Amino acid sequence: MDIVIIGGGYTGLSCAYHLARDHGIAATVVEANCAGWGCSGRNGGSVRPSIGKLPYRRVIDKWGLETARRIFGEAQKALLTTRDIIARSPLDCELIDGGVLKVAHRPNRLPALESEARLLREAYGFEAELLDADAVRTRFLDGAEVHGGLRYPDGFGVHPLKLAYAVLALCREAGARVHTASPVTVWEKENGRHVLTTPEGRLRARAVVLATNGYTPESLHPCVSKRLLPVLSHIIVTRPLTTEEVAACNYLTKIPVIDTRNINQYHRLLPDRRLLFGSRGAATDSPTARASQREFLLDRLRAKFPPLSAVNADFDWNGWVCLTLDWIPHIHHAEDDASVHYALGYGGGGVAFSLQAGQHLAARLVNQAADEPLIPTTTSPLPRFPLAAFRRLGQRAAIAWLQMKDNA
Ligand SMILES: Cc1cc2nc3c(=O)[nH]c(=O)nc-3n(C[C@H](O)[C@H](O)[C@H](O)COP(=O)(O)OP(=O)(O)OC[C@H]3O[C@@H](n4cnc5c(N)ncnc54)[C@H](O)[C@@H]3O)c2cc1C
């Protein structure tokens, strides 16, 4: 057994797929639950060019224009990688083309969209479509929080779990092994080789990849300990809307929609006319906190779409997205052991980039990382949280602060 990948979401499956397809290496994926069980099977399915949580302007301020351009280029490449995987897969991933629409949730947010459009054009040569309130209301959707918008034309929507199964199918077809219901509980090193224990057996490996993102157990490996902040994200899905309800919201589009909040709220009209609506989750995963978060999201949905005031949620679920101290994902290796690799920390926007990260990991494992773009995501290891024990307190304070800004 040569390479073992821990975690069977987009990152781990993509890594195994690219190792097999591009380098002829049949790696083994061990997944604690089933393939796509983590964020990969339960996300909002909204895909647009972004890496991590930093706004485009902050990326330029922090790393300069040259690096920012490389980061943006990599985010766009991730979209192509995702499209390529979908095109090769035997499964229909329900791709919805037409872009992703960001809607100004208050009139005073439109100037920020205008300057974002300008920045995208001038800094990256990327043409996002700026729309006034009327254009959004007549071409896409109407509601109480529609004051203009910005459409990222290369974005798209996708069925998240079908996408995970698509990568799984490609993985297996290419020769990789995927073992589900196989949590790694003990990780040791014997005579220079890794020995991973699962309830059913032990695996030996020359190299190990950590692809566990927001579900990483704190004790799994020192290289990720105290370096991750898992945060809950929550989704509700309504019953199928009636033709009259859809018409009352003039909800003409199927493309993913997000708003301009720092803690953004997003929605999509699904093929069966249910409305998917999501935002951040509760601070903890208790049944009470989850129930109240579900009610909060329902309130938010009704506030955005007054004609839906009688609509309830048929389904809801949450999942742990993964933040890092510097708000960008990291594809790197343990500082004291170059045979332990990881790609984690995509925030709430990792659908495309986790698939791309899997491809980079595969190249790293065969020493072909020289072709990687020189961006902070690939050149720097995961930073450690100072006062890591107080990460949750910091999170609560940050949420309160961002919510205050969102309501201004
Ligand atoms: C509610 C929600 C909405 C989201 N919406 C969007 C969106 O619209 N657009 C977007 O771009 N991104 C979105 N995301 C984020 C996106 O889904 C993730 O960034 C991406 O799926 C990360 O994939 P991953 O493979 O790295 O991690 P995951 O899919 O979380 O996979 C990690 C896997 O590791 C496994 N694991 C953990 N520990 C062990 C162990 N010890 N042994 C074996 N296996 C283990 C877990 O079981 C899990 O399956 C959303 C996330 C959530 C939760």
Side-chain angles (χ1 to χ4, degrees), residues 186-190 193-197 202-205:
V186 180
W187 182 340
E188 295 158 310
K189 233 175 154 183
E190 283 173 11
R193 288 177 79 79
H194 300 275
V195 182
L196 305 175
T197 305
R202 303 176 91 205
L203 296 158
R204 289 175 194 282

Side-chain angles (χ1 to χ4, degrees), residues 6-12 30-34 37-40 42-46 182-184 211-213 215 217 220 233-235 266 317 319-321 346-352 354:
I6 310 177
Y10 299 147
T11 304
V30 278
E31 162 55 48
N33 301 283
C34 54
W37 178 88
C39 289
S40 300
R42 55 177 94 194
N43 62 72
S46 164
S182 303
V184 171
T212 44
N213 206 42
Y215 291 86
L220 192 57
S233 186
H234 202 124
I235 284 177
Y266 54 88
W317 62 87
W320 293 100
V321 303
Y346 314 102
V351 170
S354 55

Side-chain angles (χ1 to χ4, degrees), residues 295-366:
E295 288 312 304
F296 167 76
L297 290 180
L298 205 45
D299 277 356
R300 289 305 321 145
L301 180 152
R302 291 168 175 164
K304 269 194 193 298
F305 301 107
L308 306 185
S309 58
V311 170
N312 277 314
D314 272 3
F315 306 101
D316 78 293
W317 62 87
N318 61 13
W320 293 100
V321 303
C322 186
L323 297 182
T324 60
L325 182 66
D326 53 9
W327 283 27
I328 54 165
H330 287 265
I331 307 171
H332 218 268
H333 56 77
E335 279 156 274
D336 58 353
D337 188 344
S339 66
V340 177
H341 300 257
Y342 56 76
L344 318 129
Y346 314 102
V351 170
F353 195 66
S354 55
L355 292 168
Q356 178 78 358
Q359 189 172 24
H360 283 314
L361 282 168
R364 279 177 172 243
L365 285 154
V366 295

Side-chain angles (χ1 to χ4, degrees), residues 115-247:
S115 65
E116 186 174 328
R118 206 174 318 115
L119 178 91
L120 285 169
R121 188 180 323 111
E122 288 169 5
Y124 305 119
F126 180 83
E127 286 298 333
E129 186 187 11
L130 192 63
L131 301 149
D132 63 22
D134 268 358
V136 179
R137 290 192 178 126
T138 53
R139 283 174 50 195
F140 296 95
L141 75 161
D142 201 355
E145 295 184 351
V146 177
H147 303 286
L150 188 63
R151 189 176 66 88
Y152 307 87
D154 58 350
F156 53 91
V158 71
H159 188 301
L161 188 57
K162 289 186 179 176
L163 178 57
Y165 287 162
V167 202
L168 174 67
L170 289 174
C171 245
R172 288 192 162 141
E173 192 183 276
R177 287 172 289 260
V178 182
H179 298 294
T180 54
S182 303
V184 171
T185 50
V186 180
W187 182 340
E188 295 158 310
K189 233 175 154 183
E190 283 173 11
N191 303 324
R193 288 177 79 79
H194 300 275
V195 182
L196 305 175
T197 305
T198 72
E200 298 296 325
R202 303 176 91 205
L203 296 158
R204 289 175 194 282
R206 169 178 66 82
V208 178
V209 173
L210 272 156
T212 44
N213 206 42
Y215 291 86
T216 310
E218 188 69 27
S219 59
L220 192 57
H221 194 277
C223 70
V224 289
S225 169
K226 300 187 169 60
R227 288 165 170 82
L228 304 174
L229 176 60
V231 173
L232 279 173
S233 186
H234 202 124
I235 284 177
I236 57 173
V237 175
T238 69
R239 61 159 166 73
L241 302 181
T242 62
T243 316
E244 292 73 26
E245 286 165 340
V246 173

